[in-house]
Each structure stands twice: as C-alpha cells, then as structure tokens.
Amino acid sequence: MNVLTSTLLALLLIVSGTVPAGAATASTGQGEVYAGTHVEFETSGDAIVDYTVNGETVLQSITVQSRSTAERRGDVRAGIGLSAVTQLSGAAVSLDSRTEVSATVTAESGASMRAHDNSRGILVVRSGGESQYVTVNVSSSTQTDRESDKRVVVTTEDGTTGTFVVVGDGEVTVNDRGNVSASVEGDGALVFRSYPDGRDDDDRREEQLISEGKAAAEVHVMQKSEEGSEFVADVVRYSEDTTVEVTQKTAGTVTMTAERSQSRGKIVITSVSERAIGSVEDLRVTVDGEAAVEASSYSELESAIDNGDASKFLVRQQSSARASTDVLVAVDHFSQREITLSEDSDGSDGSDSTGSDGDGDNRTTDAQGPGFGPIGVLFALVATVALTLARRR
C-alpha cells in the first residue's frame, strides 16, 4: 500500500467517525433496524419485531393485514370474535421514512405504523382507510388485561406497563393465546403508550381522552442532548383532521400552532422537559395571546371544549421519577390557534430555527450551508492531500 492510498484510507476513517449522532437505520439482510434515543425495533418481512422502549423490549412482534385479505386467505373466518384472531399472514412491511424523532413503517395492506422516539415510545397504527386486523405478540411472562373493548394493558416481567388504546372505530382485546388482537376501521387508529415508571390515574385519564377523541394530539418537547441547550419536538397526531407544528422551543418558552378543519374544541397534551419549562408553578398558557384559565380537574378541562366558552389548561402533578411535566391545553374552538407555554409572566419571546416535515414532526435545522459541515471539510482535505502527493510523484 503506497503513501497516497494509506493517507486516503486514514482520512476516510476520520470522516466516517464524524457522522452526526441520532436515530439510525441499518439493513440486516432480513429487514431494517431503527435505533433512536428511546425506541428501537426491527422489521422482518411481514412484522415489526423487538419493539423496545428505553432499553426494555415491550412487544415481541406487531403484524397487520387487511380484513379482506385475512378472510380470503383463511386466517380469519367471517363473523368470529376478535379474541379468536390469534395469528395473521402479515402484509409485507418496510421502513418507509425517518425523521429525527420518528420512523414510519408502511404495510402492503395500506396500514401504516409510526413509532415516536419519545420517553413513552408511542406507536400509532393507522388503517389507511381499509379495515385492518392487528396482532401483537408479547412474551410469555407479560401479563395482559382487557379493561374495555377500547383498551388493553400489558405489564412486562420487570414492571414496565403499556396500554393499547383504540381511537375511533375499532376494538382491542386479549386473544385466546394471551396476546393482543385489534381491529381498526376507516379513519381509526390503534395507539400504544408505555410507562417505564408505572401507570397512574392521570395516565388513565389521558388514555380516556385519547380514546374518546377529545385529545387531538400529543406534543413532546425534549432536550436534544443531556449537556446541550437545544430541544427537539415530537408531535403525535390522534385526530386525522388536526395538525400541530411546534414553531418555537427554547428554554422557558414553547409555542405551537394547532389547526383543525372542524371548529369544535380539542385538547392538546404537551409533555415538556424540565429544561424547556423549568418551573410550572408560575406557568403561563396563552391561546392566540389570550391567557388560558387553569382548570382544577379533568371534568373542568373537558367542559372547555364541550361548551367553547374559554380555553383552559391543567398541569399534571410531576413525580420525582419523571424529568418532564404534562400540561393539557383545552382549546375552546378552532380553526387555527397559536398556543404558548412560558414560565415567566410576560411570555418573553426567544428565537429558534425549526423545520417541519409537514406532519408535525419538528427538528432543528443545520445552519451550515451544504458542503461546509465537518464531512465537507474533510473531503476537501482528502482531495488536497491526494493532489499534493500526486504532484510529488
């Protein structure tokens, strides 16, 4: 190996080590692997497998298939109960897209499965307009409990709890093999939320709001790194006719724009890290610049969207185990509203450059122009060294 070749290889190794950290995908030959900050999983032909949240594998596999195909293939007999749907010949799946805070897996049946890389590891399965069956296998040591035809709770051996919630038309149950089966119709969705620190009454109330269609979206504003001061925002859409975009996320202030095609009010659940909103004791919430009133109960919060008299907000009690606080904002009516959470009394403005992928997932943009980041500089250095060595020869 000559000097030129050795030098080029060394510099290329340096380049490979400068790729920015974050969620990554890789091919295993059988499928693709997604590895984010909180969520990891793999696709394996016809399923998502080893769905892991904060290092704990909570779901062994998730399979989807359209109702028409499942019945035509004989996996499901028409008219049988959902609990008898224990195994599907799953539709082929592929990791279709990825952002800084989420990954979307699409199925040939028309369904989509979007994993949100937040502390709850939220997974949303949408039907794509066609009736779908979903089967979820859990480990033999995982306990499954059906709380209603809209909600099933799973608890792993180490105590991590997760809940499957049906939004809109559909049903979920514990099947005859002790796993989870669901049917999702039309514009409905199956939502999975995990609770590494345990599930409490507030979590149950949030699940109820989601299932009943009263909570239209859930926004997580998280610190980009443990040491840094930058934040990323992840938006989970529960209502198809509602979009939320986080337009500002700086220490002390979070601003978002919520838009709905219907005028009726909805609730936006926000989970903000301690660094984003350090103290909620003096929290100020405004909707279109008007101060929202703090509610004293969930029923009072719900009345704000039912009666449409004034926007209100409710702060969930922050436990010592969590590094974030939930603030539920009930917006009294729509179409487009600007919601701001700030920890000071005057809601002082800051600036933050954000970009959106059009579906509510925000990520910080790189201020460097194309070709002028660390990779561009190193490639330029490679070219310079190569030219110099060539001339010496």
Side-chain angles (χ1 to χ4, degrees), residues 129-190:
E130 183 175 355
S131 297
Q132 305 275 346
Y133 283 119
V134 186
T135 56
V136 182
N137 289 340
V138 297
S139 70
S140 58
S141 59
T142 295
Q143 180 181 342
T144 53
D145 295 295
R146 179 180 179 272
E147 292 190 345
S148 70
D149 60 357
K150 296 286 188 178
R151 191 158 33 175
V152 166
V153 179
V154 297
T155 306
T156 65
E157 190 174 16
D158 80 337
T160 297
T161 301
T163 306
F164 288 93
V165 179
V166 171
V167 183
D169 294 332
E171 180 186 353
V172 63
T173 192
V174 177
N175 65 36
D176 294 342
R177 293 188 179 179
N179 292 309
V180 179
S181 294
S183 63
V184 185
E185 317 289 336
D187 294 331
L190 177 68

Side-chain angles (χ1 to χ4, degrees), residues 2-211:
N2 59 34
V3 175
L4 175 59
T5 305
S6 301
T7 305
L8 290 174
L9 285 175
L11 287 171
L12 286 172
L13 285 172
I14 295 172
V15 169
S16 67
T18 62
V19 178
T25 56
S27 175
T28 64
Q30 298 292 324
E32 293 178 288
V33 175
Y34 172 82
T37 302
H38 301 279
V39 172
E40 295 183 17
F41 66 83
E42 184 177 347
T43 60
S44 98
D46 61 356
I48 288 177
V49 297
D50 297 331
Y51 193 84
T52 301
V53 182
N54 298 321
E56 171 73 11
T57 300
V58 290
L59 309 173
Q60 289 192 331
S61 67
I62 306 115
T63 304
V64 297
Q65 185 57 273
S66 67
R67 173 171 291 181
S68 59
T69 300
E71 292 179 353
R72 186 177 69 249
R73 289 181 175 178
D75 292 343
V76 180
R77 297 192 310 275
I80 69 168
L82 184 60
S83 62
V85 180
T86 58
Q87 189 172 358
L88 295 174
S89 299
V93 299
S94 61
L95 186 55
D96 185 58
S97 62
R98 178 178 65 86
T99 74
E100 189 176 21
V101 289
S102 68
T104 301
V105 175
T106 56
E108 286 187 351
S109 65
S112 66
M113 296 176 278
R114 189 165 198 171
H116 292 267
D117 190 26
N118 55 50
S119 60
R120 289 198 179 105
I122 297 173
L123 177 70
V124 180
V125 182
R126 293 200 178 278
S127 67
E130 183 175 355
S131 297
Q132 305 275 346
Y133 283 119
V134 186
T135 56
V136 182
N137 289 340
V138 297
S139 70
S140 58
S141 59
T142 295
Q143 180 181 342
T144 53
D145 295 295
R146 179 180 179 272
E147 292 190 345
S148 70
D149 60 357
K150 296 286 188 178
R151 191 158 33 175
V152 166
V153 179
V154 297
T155 306
T156 65
E157 190 174 16
D158 80 337
T160 297
T161 301
T163 306
F164 288 93
V165 179
V166 171
V167 183
D169 294 332
E171 180 186 353
V172 63
T173 192
V174 177
N175 65 36
D176 294 342
R177 293 188 179 179
N179 292 309
V180 179
S181 294
S183 63
V184 185
E185 317 289 336
D187 294 331
L190 177 68
V191 176
F192 174 75
R193 297 169 109 217
S194 70
Y195 308 100
D197 301 318
R199 175 174 175 254
D200 57 25
D201 288 339
D202 285 319
D203 296 320
R204 293 180 179 88
R205 291 302 299 267
E206 285 189 5
E207 293 165 6
Q208 184 177 354
L209 292 173
I210 293 167
S211 179

Side-chain angles (χ1 to χ4, degrees), residues 137-383:
N137 289 340
V138 297
S139 70
S140 58
S141 59
T142 295
Q143 180 181 342
T144 53
D145 295 295
R146 179 180 179 272
E147 292 190 345
S148 70
D149 60 357
K150 296 286 188 178
R151 191 158 33 175
V152 166
V153 179
V154 297
T155 306
T156 65
E157 190 174 16
D158 80 337
T160 297
T161 301
T163 306
F164 288 93
V165 179
V166 171
V167 183
D169 294 332
E171 180 186 353
V172 63
T173 192
V174 177
N175 65 36
D176 294 342
R177 293 188 179 179
N179 292 309
V180 179
S181 294
S183 63
V184 185
E185 317 289 336
D187 294 331
L190 177 68
V191 176
F192 174 75
R193 297 169 109 217
S194 70
Y195 308 100
D197 301 318
R199 175 174 175 254
D200 57 25
D201 288 339
D202 285 319
D203 296 320
R204 293 180 179 88
R205 291 302 299 267
E206 285 189 5
E207 293 165 6
Q208 184 177 354
L209 292 173
I210 293 167
S211 179
E212 293 175 352
K214 295 180 179 180
E218 182 169 342
V219 180
H220 288 251
V221 179
M222 306 164 286
Q223 198 171 345
K224 195 170 185 179
S225 64
E226 291 185 5
E227 298 81 13
S229 58
E230 289 184 283
F231 301 91
V232 292
D234 175 33
V235 178
V236 184
R237 292 174 61 187
Y238 295 130
S239 173
E240 287 277 48
D241 63 357
T242 304
T243 59
V244 178
E245 180 182 357
V246 178
T247 56
Q248 179 184 343
K249 47 186 189 302
T250 55
T253 304
V254 173
T255 301
M256 52 197 133
T257 300
E259 186 172 0
R260 274 177 52 80
S261 58
Q262 305 294 323
S263 61
R264 186 182 178 185
K266 291 288 182 179
I267 295 170
V268 177
I269 302 170
T270 61
S271 178
V272 291
S273 70
E274 289 180 344
R275 289 289 185 90
I277 302 292
S279 172
V280 294
E281 293 182 0
D282 299 317
L283 180 68
R284 176 180 170 86
V285 177
T286 62
V287 177
D288 289 344
E290 296 290 329
V293 178
E294 184 168 5
S296 59
S297 65
Y298 283 94
S299 58
E300 188 178 339
L301 192 73
E302 292 178 65
S303 70
I305 64 172
D306 292 333
N307 300 326
D309 53 352
S311 296
K312 296 184 179 182
F313 71 97
L314 181 68
V315 179
R316 279 187 46 172
Q317 177 116 19
Q318 186 174 6
S319 68
S320 57
R322 295 186 58 193
S324 61
T325 299
D326 282 5
V327 181
L328 288 75
V329 183
V331 181
D332 58 347
H333 66 273
F334 281 90
S335 57
Q336 181 174 304
R337 311 298 297 274
E338 184 180 79
I339 305 167
T340 299
L341 282 64
S342 57
E343 60 180 328
D344 55 5
S345 59
D346 60 2
S348 58
D349 193 17
S351 61
D352 184 33
S353 177
T354 61
S356 173
D357 66 359
D359 193 27
D361 288 318
N362 299 92
R363 50 197 182 274
T364 303
T365 57
D366 188 351
Q368 296 174 337
F372 293 98
I375 294 177
V377 172
L378 284 167
F379 270 113
L381 180 59
V382 169

